Amino acid sequence: QTQLLGVLLAAASNFLISVSLNIQKCAHLRLVCQAEQKPYYTSKLWWCGIALLGLGEVGNFTAYGFAPITLIAPLGCVSVIGSAFISVFFLKKTMRTADILGGTLTISGIYLLVTFAPDVPQELTARQVQNYLVSWPFLVYSILEIIIFCILLYFYKRKAVKHIVVLLMMVALLASLTVIAVKAVSSMIALSVSGKLQLTYSIFYTMSVLMATSCAFQIKFLNQATHLYEATTVVPINFVFFTSSAIISGVIFYREFQSAALLSVFMFLFGCLLSSLGVIIISRNKTEEHLQIPFIDCGHIPGQKLTGKIQPDSHSSCYGTLNKEDDSVKRQS
């Protein structure tokens, strides 16, 4: 029952995030269309989107306390598919065949994820987190992760390599630590609320610091990637990298597939593959839409009479002609 609650909570939270992103974009477009330009934070619609985003992130955080990492992390695809379909209503975008195909694959993958997810006890105490933290599989994994991260950071800082794979690989390595810490903190808070106090253990605050630090650096590198590359490229690659790192973290740290059958593991991974393909298909060849200025008002041009609106010609650099009553025009006529 708790695992189903976590799944429903994660799906609803990611759907809220997709709604919030579309509301924020809609608010930005409305502000640009206004004659008097105002800062985006003066828009009530934008703040509504921010509130929904915060609610969605809190829901995601809570979901980690009720279900395995290997199940919650891949459900991030709900925000991608939700955004693709919700934008049709909010931003009046056209529904593409790729959206329908990608959505079908993603929903099929989600069904397999939920059906074949590992069934593990979700009561995670502070002492269990301490034992997991010093276990030899996690120590080996941590050493390998630190070495790989330092190599990538060397190329990023010293060699100025800003390739998208380098940036998003560092994001994924940090994300693996983030999801481990998020599940630990969320689970200990849930147990404390139910009456089994866990907040007196130092491991709770250690995990809280790890969660905040890794999340901050993760956002830094992700922002760098979105600044240098198109969102249509960043979103699918980041989803695949993040999901892979989260699943590996859940398997190694929390041992979530320790007693799972081989068929269940295969079908679960197949569900992850379908979800990733769906996200890639939805994001592929999806161009960013720019605000189109419908006309140029001649009344704002000094010395010209307002005789109408001039439609820009998208196929040439000429924006039309002006009624310029000067001597040169009269001589030409």
Side-chain angles (χ1 to χ4, degrees), residues 163-224:
H163 194 275
I164 188 170
V165 173
V166 173
L167 291 169
L168 294 184
M169 185 66 76
M170 288 193 290
V171 171
L173 292 173
L174 291 167
S176 65
L177 298 177
T178 303
V179 294
I180 287 172
V182 165
K183 180 167 180 61
V185 172
S186 179
S187 299
M188 285 188 276
I189 290 176
L191 276 178
S192 299
V193 171
S194 66
K196 302 175 182 178
L197 188 62
Q198 304 292 313
L199 307 186
T200 56
Y201 292 90
S202 59
I203 190 64
F204 172 79
Y205 302 97
T206 302
M207 284 297 188
S208 298
V209 172
L210 177 63
M211 177 182 68
T213 307
S214 61
C215 190
F217 283 101
Q218 183 184 335
I219 291 171
K220 175 189 174 182
F221 292 119
L222 187 58
N223 282 337
Q224 180 77 28

Side-chain angles (χ1 to χ4, degrees), residues 16-28:
L16 274 181
I17 290 172
S18 64
V19 173
S20 72
L21 294 176
N22 279 278
I23 288 177
Q24 289 177 65
K25 189 167 184 179
C26 184
H28 282 295

Side-chain angles (χ1 to χ4, degrees), residues 50-111:
I50 289 295
L52 288 177
L53 179 64
L55 188 62
E57 292 296 350
V58 170
N60 254 336
F61 173 80
T62 308
Y64 278 101
F66 296 101
I69 290 177
T70 49
L71 179 56
I72 298 300
L75 288 178
C77 62
V78 173
S79 64
V80 178
I81 183 177
S83 183
F85 286 93
I86 293 170
S87 63
V88 176
F89 302 100
F90 276 99
L91 304 175
K92 308 300 180 184
K93 292 186 178 181
T94 306
M95 179 67 68
R96 306 176 305 156
T97 306
D99 295 331
I100 298 173
L101 176 61
T104 304
L105 288 174
T106 305
I107 292 171
S108 302
I110 291 172
Y111 173 77

